[in-house]
Amino acid sequence: MAQLYYKYGTMNSGKTIEILKVAHNYEEQGKPVVIMTSALDTRDGFGVVSSRIGMRREAIPISSEMDIFTFIAQMDTKPYCVLIDECQFLSKQNVYDLARVVDHLNVPVMAFGLKNDFQNELFEGSKYLLLLADKIDEIKTICQYCSKKATMVLRTENGKPVYEGAQIQIGGNETYIPVCRKHYFHPPSQQKT
């Protein structure tokens, strides 16, 4: 029976590598998959899933208006799995469409993304995946400043922490740092001795 999986982690936790690994495993067995990503993430091009270690694949871009359910239902070949990258940027309707893909088409969906933004608030897509997912897993990584588990994302500009601004600002290692709770509130450059 198909399920909706939500796998979240901070920046640099290996979410995209996991997607590419899962896709490879299905395809090695001759089982087609659909790889999708948010249309907002254009770091490495439009409709591209790309890891920081250089692995990349073409993907179907998802806009907030896209009817994902109809798109999957009308495919010539039913996929064995739908893999979603950057799911935090999905709309509420996108997430409900993914649940319908699972419930009505019996196709498993694995959605990967961040849980919380740099202000420590849930993204829209993350919120609804937390509500609707059958299985929720954390992909762990460590804080950039210590050996504790990273649970938050610190946005920086010119090496200084930023706690206000637009929720969505596409960026990578130059902008976002995986950190533990302590270092989110007190990055080393801001700590008093």
Side-chain angles (χ1 to χ4, degrees):
M1 197 159 155
Q3 292 187 314
L4 175 58
Y5 298 87
Y6 174 38
K7 296 179 179 261
Y8 70 89
T10 64
M11 300 292 285
N12 292 326
S13 61
K15 297 178 297 294
T16 303
I17 292 169
E18 182 72 16
I19 287 173
L20 297 174
K21 180 180 85 172
V22 170
H24 174 77
N25 288 341
Y26 272 100
E27 291 167 343
E28 276 281 299
Q29 299 175 20
K31 299 173 180 173
V33 299
V34 174
I35 300 176
M36 306 178 91
T37 189
S38 169
L40 295 177
D41 184 12
T42 57
R43 280 175 297 162
D44 289 326
F46 186 70
V48 174
V49 170
S50 169
S51 75
R52 285 176 176 72
I53 64 168
M55 298 169 61
R56 58 187 282 136
R57 289 266 309 255
E58 296 296 316
I60 296 157
I62 302 170
S63 68
S64 59
E65 302 83 26
M66 181 179 186
D67 181 344
I68 300 171
F69 176 81
T70 300
F71 179 85
I72 300 296
Q74 293 178 347
M75 294 185 77
D76 292 335
T77 303
K78 179 180 172 181
Y80 280 80
C81 187
V82 176
L83 301 164
I84 313 284
D85 198 17
E86 303 294 349
C87 67
Q88 71 271 9
F89 297 140
L90 299 181
S91 69
K92 175 181 179 180
Q93 186 58 52
N94 292 152
V95 175
Y96 275 79
D97 282 350
L98 295 175
R100 288 178 58 217
V101 166
V102 171
D103 296 341
H104 298 285
L105 302 178
N106 200 34
V107 174
V109 173
M110 298 177 76
F112 294 78
L114 300 171
K115 181 180 68 171
N116 39 308
D117 66 16
F118 79 105
Q119 294 175 345
N120 211 24
E121 298 289 338
L122 292 175
F123 285 96
E124 181 175 350
S126 305
K127 174 183 174 180
Y128 289 100
L129 282 161
L130 285 167
L131 291 170
L132 296 179
D134 299 301
K135 292 207 172 166
I136 300 169
D137 293 314
E138 180 180 22
I139 300 173
K140 298 174 179 88
T141 193
I142 59 171
C143 174
Q144 182 164 311
Y145 300 116
C146 70
S147 58
K148 289 183 182 176
K149 180 176 78 168
T151 57
M152 299 181 182
V153 176
L154 183 65
R155 182 188 284 177
T156 61
E157 287 181 15
N158 301 319
K160 297 189 190 266
V162 177
Y163 297 98
E164 295 180 357
Q167 183 182 49
I168 297 173
Q169 176 182 315
I170 303 302
N173 294 343
E174 77 288 351
T175 308
Y176 295 102
I177 300 169
V179 294
C180 65
R181 182 180 57 240
K182 174 185 174 182
H183 288 118
Y184 174 81
F185 292 108
H186 304 287
S189 62
Q190 301 295 312
Q191 288 183 344
K192 295 178 179 146
T193 54

